[in-house]
Amino acid sequence: MSNTEIWLESLITNSPQEGRELAIKMARKSMSAIQTDAETRRKLRSDYANDTAQLIASANVIAIEFQTVAAANNYWKKS
Amino acid sequence: MSNTEIWLESLITNSPQEGRELAIKMARKSMSAIQTDAETRRKLRSDYANDTAQLIASANVIAIEFQTVAAANNYWKKS
Amino acid sequence: MSNTEIWLESLITNSPQEGRELAIKMARKSMSAIQTDAETRRKLRSDYANDTAQLIASANVIAIEFQTVAAANNYWKKS
Amino acid sequence: MSNTEIWLESLITNSPQEGRELAIKMARKSMSAIQTDAETRRKLRSDYANDTAQLIASANVIAIEFQTVAAANNYWKKS
Amino acid sequence: MSNTEIWLESLITNSPQEGRELAIKMARKSMSAIQTDAETRRKLRSDYANDTAQLIASANVIAIEFQTVAAANNYWKKS
Amino acid sequence: MSNTEIWLESLITNSPQEGRELAIKMARKSMSAIQTDAETRRKLRSDYANDTAQLIASANVIAIEFQTVAAANNYWKKS
């Protein structure tokens, strides 16, 4: 556990915009949990940033993560 | 943060139709968060707008984003 | 806004069957929001109507859209 | 409307097993809504029944449809 | 109906672990509902058990089925 | 049942970070439920860890599993 970065302290964010940023971070962290080598990830990055099918698949992941973040924040509605 | 555009102030919209427009915007913004170069995105656009598999995958993302927007708006039901 | 068709006035339908029809419409409208040229869409249509992988992917989108419509209608249960 | 079959009267079923059957029917009806020719569908059927990737994708659709059916039936719990 | 096996009596399980097992069963039963020939399924099985893309797609189905099972069991929380 | 490892005692975790770890474990366990041979899985691993499309698909599974874990934990909100 000692070398594990704590990157997800909370699902609560101040705004929907910050919630989007968190959702993108969650999607990225999943990929780095599987491909743990940062240098390899850097090389792979251009593979998907220039491939629309993979950009769309990435957007699908972000959309799912955002559902969770939005629900956690009660959709940022005033209570 | 200074150069980050705030594009998602709220998930609340006036109507289902506007909710769809927001869902489409959310899907597009995810793609531009990954492929940050506007010129590259413009070139890539024809790749997926003429490929039915990618059109369908894009519609899948929009459907997921719309679930979130619709829930945030309590499905636009009169309360 | 003047040339934008309002096609989604409400998520409320009279029956599950009409809810399915709306879900299919939502899926189609997403595709036309990305590929805006009707003639191109007409040409592309045979690409996916004869490709089972794409038919299944389309059914996936419809299933997600229907989740939203069904929830909005409280699953058409008598209240 | 006259030639439209009403196949989805209700999302309520007597048991989880019947709910699965409805979910499978919903997935199939989506495909026939897009590929409306029964003969073509019959020919296409062997394409996906023998392709594991497409079998898995079909199972994905059924899983999503079943989520909706199960929620509509309050997971068939005694109330 | 006479030759239809009743395999889904209930979504309620004693533990999360049993819930996972049910989710896996649900995913498998969907595939056998489409490809009804057991011998064909047996032959197809090595196709996807050795293809990581298909293993991941299968895991996606299990994850969706498990969402339903977990919700049905109120996440196995003490009430 | 005797040789079945119990790996999912509970969906409850102490923090969102631990919830992510559980979601990743759930995704991996699904794959090993299908491809039961550990040696084969080890060989297959490099297939997807170096293929961005499969990394993204894996992240999709993790996102879905995390939705379940997060809901089970009421999004780790103080009650």
Side-chain angles (χ1 to χ4, degrees):
Chain A
M1 290 293 265
S2 56
N3 61 349
T4 303
E5 175 202 9
I6 301 294
W7 61 269
L8 187 60
E9 296 269 2
S10 169
L11 293 173
I12 306 304
T13 71
N14 287 320
S15 66
Q17 178 89 15
E18 288 185 20
R20 290 304 281 188
E21 287 160 18
L22 179 55
I24 292 168
K25 184 179 187 179
M26 289 159 78
R28 286 188 172 142
K29 287 287 184 180
S30 289
M31 293 175 72
S32 57
I34 303 165
Q35 177 44 267
T36 50
D37 184 62
E39 182 58 20
T40 302
R41 287 201 306 272
R42 199 182 58 77
K43 285 180 189 158
L44 291 172
R45 192 173 158 74
S46 68
D47 285 2
Y48 70 88
N50 292 292
D51 177 339
T52 52
Q54 296 191 45
L55 281 173
I56 296 165
S58 300
N60 203 81
V61 179
I62 293 168
I64 296 170
E65 299 283 18
F66 186 68
Q67 285 195 326
T68 309
V69 175
N73 287 281
N74 194 27
Y75 305 99
W76 296 275
K77 289 190 271 198
K78 303 285 186 299
S79 63
Chain B
M1 290 293 264
S2 56
N3 61 350
T4 303
E5 175 202 9
I6 301 295
W7 60 270
L8 187 60
E9 295 270 2
S10 169
L11 293 173
I12 305 305
T13 71
N14 288 319
S15 67
Q17 179 88 17
E18 288 185 19
R20 289 305 280 190
E21 287 159 19
L22 180 55
I24 292 168
K25 183 180 187 178
M26 289 159 78
R28 285 188 172 141
K29 287 287 184 180
S30 290
M31 293 175 72
S32 58
I34 303 165
Q35 177 44 266
T36 50
D37 184 61
E39 182 57 20
T40 302
R41 287 200 306 273
R42 199 182 57 77
K43 285 180 188 157
L44 291 172
R45 191 173 160 75
S46 68
D47 285 2
Y48 69 89
N50 292 293
D51 176 340
T52 52
Q54 295 191 45
L55 282 173
I56 296 165
S58 299
N60 203 81
V61 179
I62 293 169
I64 296 170
E65 298 284 19
F66 186 69
Q67 286 194 326
T68 308
V69 175
N73 287 280
N74 194 28
Y75 305 100
W76 297 274
K77 290 190 271 198
K78 302 287 186 299
S79 63
Chain C
M1 289 294 264
S2 56
N3 61 350
T4 304
E5 176 202 7
I6 300 295
W7 61 269
L8 187 60
E9 295 270 3
S10 169
L11 293 173
I12 306 304
T13 72
N14 287 319
S15 67
Q17 179 89 15
E18 288 185 20
R20 289 304 281 189
E21 287 160 19
L22 179 55
I24 292 169
K25 184 179 186 179
M26 289 160 78
R28 285 189 173 142
K29 287 287 184 179
S30 290
M31 292 174 74
S32 57
I34 302 164
Q35 177 44 265
T36 51
D37 184 61
E39 182 58 20
T40 302
R41 288 199 305 273
R42 199 182 58 76
K43 285 180 190 157
L44 291 172
R45 191 173 159 75
S46 68
D47 286 2
Y48 69 88
N50 292 292
D51 176 339
T52 52
Q54 295 190 45
L55 281 174
I56 296 165
S58 300
N60 203 81
V61 179
I62 293 168
I64 296 170
E65 299 283 18
F66 185 68
Q67 285 194 326
T68 308
V69 175
N73 287 279
N74 194 26
Y75 306 99
W76 297 275
K77 289 190 272 198
K78 303 285 185 299
S79 62
Chain D
M1 290 293 265
S2 57
N3 61 350
T4 304
E5 176 202 7
I6 301 294
W7 61 269
L8 187 60
E9 295 269 2
S10 170
L11 293 173
I12 306 304
T13 72
N14 287 320
S15 66
Q17 179 89 14
E18 288 185 20
R20 289 304 281 189
E21 287 160 19
L22 179 55
I24 292 168
K25 184 180 188 179
M26 289 160 77
R28 284 187 173 145
K29 288 286 184 180
S30 289
M31 293 174 72
S32 57
I34 302 166
Q35 177 45 265
T36 51
D37 184 61
E39 182 58 19
T40 302
R41 287 200 306 273
R42 200 182 57 76
K43 285 180 189 156
L44 291 171
R45 192 173 158 75
S46 69
D47 286 2
Y48 69 88
N50 292 291
D51 177 339
T52 52
Q54 296 189 44
L55 282 173
I56 296 165
S58 300
N60 203 81
V61 179
I62 293 168
I64 296 170
E65 299 283 18
F66 185 69
Q67 285 194 326
T68 308
V69 175
N73 287 279
N74 195 26
Y75 305 99
W76 296 273
K77 290 190 272 197
K78 303 285 186 299
S79 62
Chain E
M1 291 293 265
S2 57
N3 62 350
T4 303
E5 176 202 7
I6 301 294
W7 61 269
L8 187 60
E9 296 270 2
S10 169
L11 293 174
I12 307 304
T13 72
N14 288 319
S15 66
Q17 179 91 13
E18 287 185 21
R20 289 304 281 189
E21 287 161 19
L22 180 54
I24 292 168
K25 184 180 187 178
M26 290 159 78
R28 285 187 172 143
K29 288 286 184 181
S30 289
M31 293 175 72
S32 57
I34 302 165
Q35 176 44 265
T36 51
D37 184 62
E39 182 58 20
T40 303
R41 286 201 305 274
R42 200 183 56 77
K43 285 180 189 156
L44 291 172
R45 191 173 158 76
S46 68
D47 285 3
Y48 70 87
N50 292 292
D51 177 338
T52 53
Q54 295 190 45
L55 282 173
I56 296 165
S58 301
N60 203 81
V61 178
I62 293 168
I64 296 170
E65 299 284 17
F66 185 69
Q67 286 194 325
T68 308
V69 175
N73 287 279
N74 194 27
Y75 305 99
W76 296 275
K77 288 189 273 196
K78 302 285 186 298
S79 62
Chain F
M1 289 293 265
S2 56
N3 61 350
T4 303
E5 175 202 7
I6 301 294
W7 60 270
L8 187 60
E9 296 270 1
S10 169
L11 293 173
I12 306 304
T13 71
N14 288 319
S15 66
Q17 178 91 13
E18 287 185 20
R20 289 304 282 188
E21 287 160 18
L22 179 55
I24 292 168
K25 183 180 187 178
M26 290 160 79
R28 285 187 172 144
K29 288 286 184 180
S30 290
M31 294 175 71
S32 58
I34 302 165
Q35 177 45 266
T36 50
D37 184 62
E39 182 58 20
T40 303
R41 286 201 306 273
R42 199 183 57 76
K43 285 179 189 158
L44 291 172
R45 191 173 159 75
S46 69
D47 286 2
Y48 70 88
N50 291 292
D51 177 338
T52 53
Q54 296 190 45
L55 282 173
I56 295 165
S58 300
N60 203 80
V61 179
I62 293 169
I64 296 170
E65 299 283 18
F66 185 69
Q67 285 194 327
T68 309
V69 175
N73 286 279
N74 193 29
Y75 306 99
W76 296 275
K77 288 190 273 196
K78 302 285 186 299
S79 63

